[in-house]
């Protein structure tokens, strides 16, 4: 039995009841990976596989054929923290063979919202100290005067959003399942190809990715989305278009261990 | 000839190449208003009308019938500033008879992104002054040490987002077209009905809304979305469900001046 996991879409961090911190991920690439995997096992006439599909609210989805449904579990997630818990739970309960981690997970979540004016007052009321500024920083990290996160933020003053880093999800995967074949994704902006390859290799090294799809922000269109599939530090494919990227990923992935 | 304008969806403010400040608006209510208007004129066998539909990328849309297309201009917008300019241009060039302003427009846009640590250092390097704190506030509004808005924000430090208020769009409408019949929307959270009515009347008074649909955040589902249609300070209808809300709005609107 092959266990496959896919994450898709972009997370959404709660700011107040109506406002959100989001990103541009559409979830299309993850969806095409799912379709390609279902097609692959259908063509091979195999039913010894199962896919867990973690997706966010805005991620692209469409109806699957009725015969395909039993092979897929759909798991909805919302913000970075919910993805962390879902991936941790999944990788602790299932020996995942292949993990395609295409979700764009927010690096930051909301720590507080404060009125700029009130935050300035709070800092000004600090006792003067000539030291390295730990106190001002403490206020900036965690002010007393802030809006309640359950109210709708009033719109009559300029505001400050304090954001703190979220826990990285990707290191969990190999930590919980060292034998997983892990496909990571790296999106950078305005960097030359060598730098993109260097950063992709770094991601692979730090988080145990067996393969990384690396791409550049200006090259993200559905039909002309292009990037490099990198394995053991080498570019093994340069697919163009999201569907072709998904096919290249699944093809390379299945070369290794598709018969487990 | 009747000129009708509808705004629908939620705006998205750019943070960096991949991150966005958005809101939960789906654009469904605006879309149903469009459908209801097209049905109304079709039933009346009238073709002396035109709709300008301003929508954001995430706003719900579907294909219209071919016969309906000539009656609608679709105008895409992105952030609060783009809506401001689009509404200003429209209301200066066309004598809009009915304006349904259902778009959720961000009250804030990005002023800057800074590392919390660097912002603390910058404040600490200010000369000490016992005054009301204008200087700290100036740094909080406009720090020197900030990330370039064209780069992808690094994820290795906590960050501060400085947000400044956007220009309100709704006052433009009657300023440019005093004879427009203007329908406004008010969404509040956790307030009793009397407070919702009071705030809706205030919105009507300040911006010349002839009618306001007022609703509460916990009551927003598609089929059970409920709220109050308020005209001249009085609740004239309490429709339940987004489609029914759209029908109530268009019905009340057309009672007045539908034969212009």
């Amino acid at each position: 039995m092959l266990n496959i996991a896919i994450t898709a879409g972009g997370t959404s961090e709660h700011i107040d009841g109506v406002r959100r911190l989001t990103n541009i991920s559409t979830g299309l690439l993850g969806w095409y990976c799912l379709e390609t995997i279902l097609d692959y096992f259908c063509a091979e006439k195999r039913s010894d596989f199962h896919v867990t599909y973690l997706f966010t609210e805005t991620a692209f989805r469409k109806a699957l054929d009725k015969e395909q449904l039993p092979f897929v579990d759909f798991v909805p997630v919302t913000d970075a923290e919910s993805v962390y818990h879902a991936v941790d739970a999944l990788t602790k309960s299932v020996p995942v063979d292949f993990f395609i981690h295409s979700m764009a997970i927010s690096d930051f979540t909301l720590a507080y919202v404060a009125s700029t004016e009130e935050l300035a007052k709070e800092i000004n009321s600090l006792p003067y100290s000539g030291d390295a500024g730990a106190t001002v920083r403490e206020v900036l990290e965690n002010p007393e005067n802030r809006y309640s996160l359950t109210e709708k933020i009033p719109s009559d003053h300029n505001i400050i959003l304090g954001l703190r880093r979220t826990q990285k999800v990707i290191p969990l995967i190999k930590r919980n399942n060292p034998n997983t074949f892990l496909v990571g994704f790296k999106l950078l902006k305005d960097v030359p190809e060598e730098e993109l390859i260097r950063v992709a290799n770094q991601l692979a090294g730090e988080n145990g990715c067996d393969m990384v799809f690396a791409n550049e922000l200006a090259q993200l269109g559905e039909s002309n989305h292009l990037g490099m599939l990198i394995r053991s530090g080498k570019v093994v494919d340069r697919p163009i278009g999201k569907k072709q990227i998904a096919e290249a990923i699944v093809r390379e992935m299945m070369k290794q261990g598709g018969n487990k």
Side-chain angles (χ1 to χ4, degrees), chain A:
Chain A
M1 184 69 161
L2 277 179
N3 286 300
I4 300 164
I6 301 174
T7 64
T11 56
S12 170
E13 303 298 313
H14 182 102
I15 296 175
D16 67 5
V18 294
R19 299 176 175 94
R20 299 285 182 268
L21 188 65
T22 58
N23 65 60
I24 57 168
S25 175
T26 59
L28 263 179
L29 195 49
W31 184 262
Y32 286 142
C33 286
L34 174 63
E35 286 187 343
T36 307
I37 285 167
L38 293 172
D39 289 348
Y40 171 90
F41 284 97
C42 180
E44 301 261 314
K45 299 198 188 338
R46 287 176 59 179
S47 58
D48 59 334
F49 75 102
H50 189 80
V51 183
T52 306
Y53 196 81
L54 284 79
F55 68 99
T56 58
E57 193 186 353
T58 56
F60 175 86
R61 284 193 300 155
K62 59 183 183 187
L64 290 180
D65 293 343
K66 223 170 65 181
E67 315 81 77
Q68 298 174 321
L69 280 178
F71 295 106
V72 189
D73 268 336
F74 287 96
V75 179
V77 292
T78 55
D79 58 4
E81 192 181 353
S82 75
V83 183
Y84 186 93
H85 292 301
V87 169
D88 194 37
L90 173 69
T91 51
K92 277 178 176 158
S93 64
V94 175
V96 178
D97 298 292
F98 297 101
F99 201 120
I100 300 177
H101 187 44
S102 74
M103 187 180 283
I105 300 173
S106 183
D107 296 312
F108 302 101
T109 192
L110 188 72
Y112 67 86
V113 184
S115 127
T116 309
E117 187 180 352
E118 292 301 317
L119 195 58
K121 279 189 198 156
E122 186 168 335
I123 290 171
N124 272 295
S125 71
L126 289 171
Y128 180 68
S129 71
D131 68 13
T135 325
V136 170
R137 186 166 173 181
E138 281 160 24
V139 173
L140 287 178
E141 300 274 8
N142 193 20
E144 281 185 24
N145 288 302
R146 56 171 71 191
Y147 293 117
S148 151
L149 294 185
T150 58
E151 69 187 313
K152 192 179 161 194
I153 302 162
S155 60
D156 45 1
H157 294 91
N158 287 350
I159 60 173
I160 295 275
L161 304 192
L163 304 186
R164 61 180 163 74
R165 285 187 295 160
T166 53
Q167 279 191 285
K168 294 269 182 205
V169 171
I170 193 166
L172 275 179
I173 299 170
K174 283 272 174 130
R175 197 187 307 152
N176 290 343
N177 279 185
N179 295 324
T180 299
F181 185 92
L182 173 58
V183 184
F185 291 76
K186 193 72 202 179
L187 175 65
L188 289 179
K189 195 181 169 199
D190 286 336
V191 295
E193 183 171 309
E194 312 80 65
E195 172 66 5
L196 196 50
I197 295 175
R198 192 191 66 74
V199 174
N201 285 333
Q202 189 184 334
L203 176 77
E206 285 169 5
N207 301 298
C209 295
D210 300 280
M211 201 155 72
V212 174
F213 183 73
N215 45 180
E216 200 280 324
L217 191 57
Q219 304 176 322
L220 281 191
E222 175 165 1
S223 60
N224 58 1
H225 186 157
L226 63 88
M228 297 171 289
L229 199 56
I230 299 170
R231 195 165 172 171
S232 306
K234 294 204 182 83
V235 178
V236 293
D237 205 347
R238 292 175 180 273
I240 298 174
K242 288 193 199 293
K243 186 79 189 159
Q244 289 72 20
I245 293 168
E247 285 166 2
I249 288 169
V250 173
R251 188 168 55 234
E252 278 296 321
M253 195 172 92
M254 286 300 160
K255 276 186 190 170
Q256 162 118 356
N259 295 312
K260 262 188 195 173

